[in-house]
Amino acid sequence: MHVPTVFIDGDQGTTGLQIHERLRGRTDLRLVTLPSAERKDLQRRGEAINDCDIAILCLPDAAAREAVAAIRRPEVRVIDASSAHRTQPQWVYGLPELDEGQAQRIARAERVTNPGCYPTGAIALLRPLIEAGLLPRDYPVAIHAVSGYSGGGRAAIDEYESGEASHAAPFKVYGLALEHKHTPEIELHAGLAHRPFFVPAYGAFRQGIVLTIPIALRLLPAGTGGERLHACLTERYAGARHVQVMPLADARAATHLDPQALNGTNDLRLGVFVNADRGQVLLSAVFDNLGKGASGAAVQNLDLMLGA
């Protein structure tokens, strides 16, 4: 019986380390990484990627493109955790819950692009509502999201966990030029007609995300209320193993959202908060930026590709 070989290229970064940890001890695959002396050796990396069954790329965008270009053996399949290919039509978008057939598309794919962390929450909220005709495609979407500082990679982790951590800002809003690389990904895969406003931030906690999208009911089709939006999301994710929709009663009772509530899992929790008197709804998503937002999603896609 053939045991698939899985090569992690870039296993010393935050996402790569988490993927390695999640796959440790599995007997249904053979995990390959390169020793530190060979990680920057292009020839050795090329050999490793061409010798594997599935490569998981945990690399900067340019290096991910180079790695794909180095593939000579057609049988090699790829999961790219970078943002290099997320809007490329020849790559399968690695969000299994995107629609009814997406998990099967991932299972059959040769090239899978892992979603970005923030887009995972935004698309999971927006796409079902747009497809159901409850949210117009040209709705002026604004997304606010706060991630743990690990979302900023090694530099941010060093800033918050080094000896100078006491000087690190407790909260940072960034992306003020409104050119964040996740915005085109959200626009495309959510099915929006126009570019959304996307305002990301980092908090002084290691991991976890809380993402919110405000909705004005007066801009929706006549008769569309918060309960209908909630029912649409509940129906859409009824059979989804890793997506939960908060019951309306729980949302009404909630006083806050904890971005760290699902840390260490591959789960995504969606919420719909309704103020019918004011004609306002707040959509929310809580998940681990290193779980469903990165390494957990990569392992979920890997399992689909392996038929596990």
Side-chain angles (χ1 to χ4, degrees):
M1 178 178 172
H2 175 68
V3 177
T5 299
V6 176
F7 169 50
I8 304 176
D9 194 356
D11 67 300
Q12 292 305 299
T14 306
T15 298
L17 286 170
Q18 290 264 333
I19 292 172
H20 195 282
E21 183 62 31
R22 287 170 183 263
L23 296 178
R24 188 190 307 274
R26 288 196 32 180
T27 58
D28 61 326
L29 54 83
R30 186 170 73 91
L31 193 59
V32 173
T33 58
L34 293 177
S36 56
E38 298 179 2
R39 287 182 191 131
K40 294 185 179 180
D41 185 328
L42 294 180
Q43 180 177 345
R44 185 67 191 92
R45 286 175 59 211
E47 292 171 354
I49 201 169
N50 280 285
D51 285 343
C52 74
D53 294 293
I54 300 178
I56 304 178
L57 308 181
C58 304
L59 303 166
D61 288 6
R65 294 187 186 98
E66 290 174 357
V68 173
I71 296 174
R72 298 288 178 261
R73 196 166 64 86
E75 296 81 6
V76 175
R77 305 168 77 191
V78 178
I79 299 171
D80 182 10
S82 82
S83 62
H85 301 102
R86 289 177 184 157
T87 59
Q88 298 298 313
Q90 63 270 36
W91 285 69
V92 174
Y93 193 60
L95 182 60
E97 300 86 4
L98 186 69
D99 60 36
E100 190 173 316
Q102 195 67 5
Q104 282 303 310
R105 295 185 196 102
I106 293 168
R108 297 190 300 263
E110 295 181 358
R111 300 287 183 267
V112 173
T113 176
N114 228 44
C117 55
Y118 296 123
T120 294
I123 293 164
L125 287 166
L126 294 169
R127 184 170 175 127
L129 304 180
I130 290 171
E131 288 185 340
L134 301 177
L135 188 71
R137 291 185 65 245
D138 61 354
Y139 188 92
V141 170
I143 302 161
H144 180 263
V146 183
S147 170
Y149 57 76
S150 59
R154 185 158 305 223
I157 292 172
D158 288 346
E159 178 183 0
Y160 281 90
E161 296 184 359
S162 70
E164 300 297 314
S166 60
H167 301 294
F171 186 83
K172 291 181 181 179
V173 176
Y174 66 104
L176 301 181
L178 303 178
E179 289 289 351
H180 195 283
K181 65 181 182 180
H182 286 162
T183 309
E185 178 184 351
I186 295 171
E187 179 184 355
L188 174 65
H189 295 293
L192 293 168
H194 305 294
R195 184 182 180 92
F197 276 92
F198 175 49
V199 184
Y202 289 136
F205 54 96
R206 194 174 201 278
Q207 64 197 82
I209 285 178
V210 60
L211 177 148
T212 55
I213 304 173
I215 301 293
L217 294 176
R218 61 185 172 79
L219 300 180
L220 304 190
T224 303
E227 290 77 8
R228 182 70 189 93
L229 300 179
H230 179 269
C232 176
L233 292 175
T234 300
E235 180 180 350
R236 174 66 188 83
Y237 296 113
R241 176 182 174 189
H242 293 291
V243 182
Q244 314 157 8
V245 180
M246 292 174 62
L248 280 174
D250 290 357
R252 282 191 290 267
T255 58
H256 67 280
L257 291 171
D258 178 3
Q260 303 177 90
L262 295 178
N263 280 2
T265 77
N266 189 46
D267 294 338
L268 171 66
R269 181 179 297 149
L270 308 180
V272 180
F273 300 87
V274 183
N275 187 327
D277 292 340
R278 303 295 185 183
Q280 295 178 324
V281 168
L282 187 69
L283 307 177
S284 71
V286 172
F287 54 108
D288 186 351
N289 62 294
L290 299 181
K292 187 61 172 165
S295 60
V299 173
Q300 184 181 358
N301 289 327
L302 174 66
D303 284 340
L304 287 169
M305 295 169 76
L306 292 174

